[in-house]
């Protein structure tokens, strides 16, 4: 058996195709990696409760959630990095004035600060998950939140970037951006796991396709961009594989010599 490597996979557009389906070749490749003694992990912008079914299907219990803000290693919470609640309350007040809904998210659930907004409906439905945020404008009270969703069109997000310097804003949908603690990223989350496992950087791999994967792919030694990735993402990756629909994970793992 080869020395153990750790392979981090993004979910949307990487493990899952455009229809949020797991290609059979991807599932087979993941289990082959595990049989070969490697550690398979997920690195995603999603909340942990948004991909429980996928983790069960692939038997994965190590993951970087919320773009690095909630990290679990072998089923145990390793690190958390919550949002600054005072700044989030101020942002929410501004957003409410602008008719820009906000969704509050912890490791267990998500709640919207306004009921039944069409932008929230459109954005969340695009994820094709079974969870949908119910209304609770004070969900931030008495708990740590690791990410929020600000539903704000592209041309209107600058005011938030200029005025709320505690946060990073990463667009994931034409109508919405992730609101994250400043400097938080998948790359930082991966770093926490790698430090704990004491595995050399030469045996760390990452696959991704989205803008929130750029820091991860530009930091990890063996980075693979999906064929369906944006050009900005491909430009920072060491390797480029086929699209997710065209057996991209299997092809990429063979490309880097893990299969």
């Amino acid at each position: 058996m080869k020395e153990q490597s750790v392979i981090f996979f993004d979910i949307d557009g990487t493990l899952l195709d455009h229809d949020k389906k797991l290609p059979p070749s991807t599932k087979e490749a993941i289990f082959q990696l595990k049989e070969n003694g490697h550690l398979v992990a997920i690195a995603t912008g999603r909340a942990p409760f948004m991909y429980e079914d996928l983790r069960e299907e692939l038997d994965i219990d190590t993951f970087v959630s919320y773009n690095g803000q909630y990290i679990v290693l072998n089923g145990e919470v390793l690190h958390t990095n919550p949002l600054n609640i005072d700044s989030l309350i101020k942002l929410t007040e501004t957003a409410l004035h602008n008719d820009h809904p906000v969704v509050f998210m912890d490791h267990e659930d998500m709640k919207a600060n306004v009921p039944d907004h069409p932008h929230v409906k459109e954005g969340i439905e695009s994820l094709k998950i079974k969870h949908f945020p119910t209304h609770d404008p004070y969900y931030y009270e008495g708990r740590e939140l690791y990410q929020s969703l600000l539903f704000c069109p592209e041309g209107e997000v600058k005011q938030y970037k200029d005025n709320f310097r505690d946060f990073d804003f990463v667009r994931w949908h034409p109508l919405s951006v992730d609101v994250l603690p400043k400097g938080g990223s998948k790359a930082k989350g991966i770093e926490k796991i790698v430090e704990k496992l004491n595995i050399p950087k030469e045996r760390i791999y990452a696959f991704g396709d989205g803008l929130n994967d750029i820091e991860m792919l530009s930091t990890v030694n063996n980075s693979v961009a999906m064929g369906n990735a944006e050009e900005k993402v491909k430009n920072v990756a060491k390797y480029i594989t086929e699209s997710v629909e065209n057996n991209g994970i299997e092809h990429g793992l063979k490309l880097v010599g893990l299969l």
Side-chain angles (χ1 to χ4, degrees):
M1 185 186 79
K2 293 182 179 179
E3 290 183 297
Q4 185 183 55
S5 294
V6 184
I7 307 96
F8 293 88
F9 294 97
D10 170 55
I11 293 179
D12 300 288
T14 301
L15 287 177
L16 301 184
D17 63 20
H18 179 72
D19 296 317
K20 308 302 181 187
K21 302 292 186 185
L22 180 69
S25 65
T26 296
K27 184 173 181 177
E28 291 170 14
I30 295 298
F31 278 100
Q32 187 61 56
L33 282 177
K34 292 161 71 71
E35 283 181 24
N36 291 347
H38 301 304
L39 177 62
V40 178
I42 286 173
T44 180
R46 288 193 185 205
F49 57 82
M50 288 183 176
Y51 59 101
E52 287 175 309
D53 292 348
L54 181 63
R55 297 202 309 271
E56 288 178 9
E57 184 174 0
L58 296 177
D59 190 26
I60 292 174
D61 61 3
T62 295
F63 53 90
V64 174
S65 281
Y66 286 134
N67 291 311
Q69 316 322 308
Y70 190 86
I71 304 165
V72 171
L73 174 61
N74 297 324
E76 300 291 332
V77 177
L78 176 65
H79 177 77
T80 62
N81 184 32
L83 293 162
N84 181 304
I85 294 299
D86 290 339
S87 295
L88 181 63
I89 291 170
K90 291 175 183 175
L91 181 148
T92 303
E93 289 170 351
T94 302
L96 198 59
H97 178 76
N98 294 333
D99 190 30
H100 293 155
V102 173
V103 171
F104 307 118
M105 310 175 80
D106 65 1
H107 61 295
E108 295 177 326
D109 205 353
M110 57 181 170
K111 301 288 184 180
N113 72 322
V114 296
D116 305 321
H117 196 287
H119 289 180
V120 176
K121 185 174 187 293
E122 182 177 339
I124 299 297
E125 284 184 351
S126 73
L127 295 172
K128 299 183 179 174
I129 57 176
K130 59 186 178 184
H131 300 273
F132 194 84
T134 53
H135 180 221
D136 183 351
Y138 303 108
Y139 191 65
Y140 54 79
E141 292 184 346
R143 55 171 47 88
E144 290 188 336
L145 302 180
Y146 305 106
Q147 182 172 290
S148 284
L149 306 179
L150 171 65
F151 288 81
C152 172
E154 183 70 57
E156 299 175 48
V157 75
K158 185 177 184 297
Q159 60 181 307
Y160 298 100
K161 291 181 177 180
D162 290 343
N163 293 312
F164 296 97
R165 300 301 180 90
D166 286 345
F167 303 135
D168 284 331
F169 299 85
V170 181
R171 185 159 296 279
W172 64 275
H173 185 274
L175 294 174
S176 186
V177 292
D178 292 330
V179 181
L180 302 164
K182 191 73 177 178
S185 68
K186 293 182 182 183
K188 296 279 179 59
I190 288 172
E191 190 176 279
K192 296 289 183 186
I193 290 176
V194 171
E195 285 175 359
K196 184 70 174 178
L197 294 175
N198 195 29
I199 289 182
K201 59 185 181 180
E202 292 78 16
R203 300 210 301 271
I204 308 300
Y205 297 76
F207 286 68
D209 74 300
L211 297 179
N212 65 340
D213 295 318
I214 286 177
E215 188 170 350
M216 172 177 78
L217 295 180
S218 59
T219 302
V220 169
N221 262 43
N222 305 291
S223 57
V224 186
M226 304 301 290
N228 46 276
E230 297 187 38
E231 286 305 312
K232 287 181 183 178
V233 181
K234 291 178 178 178
N235 289 341
V236 302
K238 186 174 182 180
Y239 304 95
I240 300 173
T241 183
E242 301 289 339
S243 68
V244 58
E245 290 89 356
N246 196 30
N247 305 319
I249 294 298
E250 179 187 41
H251 178 83
L253 290 168
K254 289 178 178 177
L255 185 66
V256 300
L258 286 172
L259 288 184

